Amino acid sequence: MSLSELYQEVMMDHYAHPRNCGTLENPDASWELHNPTCGDLIKVEVALEPGDKQSERVVKDIRFSGQGCSISQASASMMTQLVKGKRLSEAREVLERFLSMMKGEDGDFESLGDAQALQGVTRYPVRVKCATLAWHAFEKCTGRLAEGDE
Amino acid sequence: MNPLVAGLNRVGARQLDTERIKKDFPILNTKIRGKSLVYLDNAATTQKPIQVVNALSSYYLESNANVHRAIHDLGARATELYEGARERVAGFIGASKPSEIVFTRNATEAVNLVAYAWGRRNVGPGDEIITTPMEHHSNLVPWQQLAGATGARLRFIDLTPDGRLDMESFYRLLNERTRLVAVSQGSNVLGTINPVAEICRAAREAEAVVLVDGAQSVPHMPVNVASLGCDFLAISGHKMLGPTGIGVLYGRADLLEAMDPFLFGGDMISYVHLETAGWNEIPYKFEAGTPNIAGAIGLAAAIDYLEGLGMEQIESHERQLVKLAMHRLGELGYVEMHGPAGDRAGLISFNIKGIHPHDVATVLNEEGVAIRAGHHCAQPLMEWLNVPATNRASFYIYNDEEDVDRMVQAITRVKEFFRHVIV
Ligand SMILES: Cc1ncc(COP(=O)(O)O)c(C=O)c1O
């Protein structure tokens, strides 16, 4: 494992040109998470298309903001890109697949697109938290939204 | 440094023989990602020399027993070693008697002990506690809690733009309501050495008590509680070659005498009835339960090692290294350094524009160079510096100029690696 495998070009590209970076006017859900080891902070905001059943509503827009290292920022950017336009139930599947990859589990991660580039981070256990921060914030958002189905 | 000491160091002081010292630290031969280790995270914890490891193992292999209560010889031997360690610590920091030395787990516990056992009894509504924005969380959060519980108020000494205490602000804050001044002697982020003796003198006149956080000073320079004039001093053994899990609270005997215990149970009592108990004498009333016997013995061995080198030599060695490091980092032109430029302790915090400290530390790790990246348990100070986190390189007795070179070289690799994203 070399540094260039960790800091892959796709990742550096997301870091230098983050997608969906910013805030939303009227999000349906938002969540802020701290990485206590470094003080980094990521906020994820989600807006949904109208719909009756929460889990079937489509992610109309999603934004992230905050500060962090290249891995956490790139990962946030990739996450937003992946879940935007998906139904919440599908987005949750993506989320679970990603977390499974970050746990070092075997599987087919093709569907994760750019985010596959983060697989190398599993070789740097202390950085896994950086890579999963935005995803956990999104998970909290979906958790919030799912409460509406109960 | 005052000119006299600086002069002495130039002509008189022996240089540390780092080549010989390194031999006592087998861990320094470890390979990290194929490269030889350069350990620059000494402010977090230092490595342990074989002398300390041997002291631990020979205690366990030859003298292990519980202390203070045994009639058998082994118990007496363990007690002798444990109490010998207390005397060793007392001598090292210039305490007037061993009973002023309370063994704790670490500096954090030492501060908490004072916050509870002294604070809950001596601080009340409207009283004031003076501290600083550069404290480690362990010398801040216990005072926040104490203030919350007692209705006291925290006051903070201003910092100068280069990260020193603004002493005028201290004198403005100090008044008849001040009960306590809690201040670190050495900052674990800025490298600032605070004028603690001056603070103690002024506080004494105001009849306030001073707790000095010595976690980053005692390992690195001569510290004498009598000449400082402090009332309490907190120390962590693991930051000065000792084992983890052993720390020290120095407390002035009359203050310790007047304090209630912090933890209750065995060893800290003089008698126990079903409904009541009386407390043992100091320091034992603050050491409830079986203490970290091996830890204390290991700490004594660490002190032997440090004194063998000489605390003044250690101080001047580190200062030379940090000076070199600051010079070399300054030459790079893209490294922003924090803290005072001149007289400072042997650590340096820095940021590289546009590159998060985590990324810097990951690249350095790839080169075998271990530095710290984060908030260093000093989040208010990160706010003051207006950065989310910093990198920190901290030096100790086994570091040399080559280690500085390796670090600087690794930093140029960071720059190379992130050239596309640097703004
Ligand atoms: C200035 C300062 N005070 C206190 C501490 C706390 O030490 P410990 O974690 O050993 O209790 C540290 C440790 O980093 C420190 O740097």
Side-chain angles (χ1 to χ4, degrees):
Chain A
M1 182 79 193
S2 72
L3 273 184
S4 35
E5 285 170 76
L6 173 67
Y7 292 118
Q8 292 190 23
E9 251 170 62
V10 221
M11 201 196 90
M12 293 300 235
D13 180 57
H14 275 270
Y15 179 43
H17 312 286
R19 331 289 201 260
N20 304 309
C21 185
T23 56
L24 291 178
E25 287 262 310
N26 288 309
D28 290 291
S30 74
W31 200 274
E32 218 176 74
L33 270 188
H34 273 276
N35 182 347
T37 48
C38 54
D40 286 351
L41 176 94
I42 278 198
K43 184 176 187 182
V44 170
E45 292 172 300
V46 184
L48 302 178
E49 301 280 8
D52 295 336
K53 197 164 185 300
Q54 290 284 27
S55 60
E56 296 310 308
R57 289 173 72 187
V58 169
V59 176
K60 183 172 72 182
D61 208 351
I62 177 166
R63 296 289 160 89
F64 79 95
S65 54
Q67 60 203 10
C69 62
S70 59
I71 294 174
S72 77
Q73 297 288 295
S75 180
S77 165
M78 293 165 174
M79 184 275 290
T80 57
Q81 200 182 32
L82 267 176
V83 303
K84 192 166 166 178
K86 289 202 168 58
R87 279 194 213 96
L88 270 189
S89 53
E90 295 166 333
R92 276 210 70 101
E93 276 171 35
V94 173
L95 171 72
E96 270 152 34
R97 177 140 312 156
F98 179 79
L99 294 177
S100 152
M101 179 178 85
M102 295 314 292
K103 279 187 206 141
E105 292 169 3
D106 288 337
D108 178 6
F109 303 116
E110 199 70 16
S111 60
L112 292 177
D114 287 358
Q116 285 174 93
L118 294 172
Q119 195 161 17
V121 179
T122 56
R123 301 284 301 275
Y124 295 77
V126 290
R127 304 298 299 276
V128 168
K129 259 193 209 147
C130 311
T132 54
L133 194 63
W135 297 75
H136 285 306
F138 176 67
E139 189 178 27
K140 289 285 189 188
C141 291
T142 62
R144 263 290 161 82
L145 292 165
E147 283 166 16
D149 277 345
E150 279 154 18
Chain B
M1 201 183 299
N2 78 48
L4 179 69
V5 177
L8 280 178
N9 281 338
R10 227 173 297 123
V11 289
R14 268 178 298 126
Q15 293 274 321
L16 290 190
D17 182 352
T18 46
E19 216 167 297
R20 209 202 74 224
I21 292 170
K22 276 177 199 276
K23 293 206 176 84
D24 292 330
F25 294 82
I27 201 170
L28 297 176
N29 297 324
T30 308
K31 291 271 183 288
I32 300 292
R33 298 187 185 249
K35 311 242 167 58
S36 61
L37 166 67
V38 173
Y39 185 77
L40 299 177
D41 195 13
N42 293 288
T45 198
T46 64
Q47 299 304 341
K48 322 302 172 195
I50 26 190
Q51 288 82 345
V52 167
V53 178
N54 286 345
L56 294 175
S57 80
S58 67
Y59 163 70
Y60 279 124
L61 297 177
E62 293 154 23
S63 310
N64 176 59
N66 210 330
V67 288
H68 299 151
R69 293 183 287 268
I71 301 297
H72 53 77
D73 277 2
L74 214 49
R77 200 185 297 169
T79 304
E80 209 171 288
L81 286 168
Y82 181 66
E83 292 306 323
R86 196 189 305 279
E87 281 170 35
R88 194 77 189 81
V89 173
F92 181 60
I93 58 168
S96 60
K97 44 196 167 202
S99 63
E100 295 185 318
I101 303 301
V102 179
F103 284 121
T104 61
R105 279 189 302 142
N106 45 37
T108 302
E109 187 178 293
V111 175
N112 275 276
L113 199 164
V114 176
Y116 278 92
W118 180 86
R120 299 297 195 266
R121 181 178 257 242
N122 291 286
V123 175
D127 285 346
E128 295 182 356
I129 298 166
I130 298 180
T131 181
T132 86
M134 69 166 83
E135 297 311 306
H136 187 279
H137 295 163
S138 64
N139 196 28
L140 173 61
V141 183
W143 308 123
Q144 293 173 345
Q145 292 299 307
L146 176 63
T150 59
R153 181 169 174 215
L154 288 184
R155 313 291 312 261
F156 295 94
I157 304 174
D158 290 337
L159 301 185
T160 62
D162 67 342
R164 287 172 298 115
L165 295 182
D166 175 352
M167 290 302 281
E168 276 179 27
S169 134
F170 167 64
Y171 286 113
R172 274 197 306 276
L173 291 175
L174 189 67
N175 65 43
E176 70 287 350
R177 290 183 303 277
T178 310
R179 302 309 325 254
L180 175 82
V181 183
V183 58
S184 52
Q185 187 170 19
S187 158
N188 68 319
V189 177
L190 298 169
T192 316
I193 298 290
N194 291 320
V196 172
E198 182 184 344
I199 289 173
C200 291
R201 260 195 313 278
R204 173 137 316 167
E205 268 170 41
E207 291 179 29
V209 159
V210 180
L211 176 136
V212 174
D213 174 356
Q216 296 295 350
S217 58
V218 173
H220 303 285
M221 59 195 266
V223 174
N224 183 295
V225 291
S227 54
L228 282 185
C230 63
D231 302 290
F232 296 108
L233 176 73
I235 308 172
S236 269
H238 69 92
K239 293 185 196 286
M240 49 187 287
L241 309 181
T244 48
I246 189 75
V248 170
L249 172 68
Y250 157 82
R252 238 176 56 209
D254 57 320
L255 288 172
L256 291 179
E257 298 279 7
M259 282 154 58
D260 287 324
F262 168 45
L263 296 169
F264 301 88
D267 226 33
M268 51 76 61
I269 42 81
S270 63
Y271 64 85
V272 179
H273 303 300
L274 273 181
E275 307 274 348
T276 56
W279 313 142
N280 202 337
E281 59 198 17
I282 64 164
Y284 308 110
K285 76 172 173 186
F286 298 110
E287 292 181 2
T290 301
N292 184 354
I293 306 164
I297 292 166
L299 176 58
I303 291 174
D304 287 344
Y305 193 96
L306 291 174
E307 289 205 318
L309 300 176
M311 295 312 293
E312 269 157 25
Q313 279 75 18
I314 293 171
E315 182 181 24
S316 100
H317 173 77
E318 289 180 19
R319 287 189 183 198
Q320 281 166 27
L321 281 183
V322 84
K323 208 167 149 191
L324 176 69
M326 290 174 75
H327 176 71
R328 300 285 310 278
L329 291 175
E331 279 178 344
L332 293 178
Y334 49 82
V335 176
E336 182 197 1
M337 292 176 269
H338 310 297
D343 194 13
R344 51 145 56 236
L347 63 85
I348 177 73
S349 291
F350 59 92
N351 285 78
I352 300 179
K353 281 179 210 103
I355 312 179
H356 192 281
H358 269 181
D359 293 318
V360 175
T362 295
V363 177
L364 262 60
N365 179 60
E366 205 65 26
E367 299 294 313
V369 180
I371 62 160
R372 180 146 293 246
H375 54 60
H376 318 292
C377 296
Q379 286 184 339
L381 188 57
M382 296 297 113
E383 279 171 28
W384 183 82
L385 289 168
N386 199 21
V387 292
T390 76
N391 300 287
R392 180 185 70 191
S394 51
F395 303 100
Y396 211 27
I397 53 176
Y398 30 69
N399 294 122
D400 56 19
E401 294 180 9
E402 197 190 320
D403 295 346
V404 175
D405 281 343
R406 290 266 312 271
M407 174 182 76
V408 173
Q409 240 166 44
I411 287 174
T412 60
R413 272 214 74 194
V414 177
K415 173 86 172 171
E416 166 68 12
F417 216 84
F418 281 84
R419 65 189 180 281
H420 301 305
V421 291
I422 285 178
V423 280

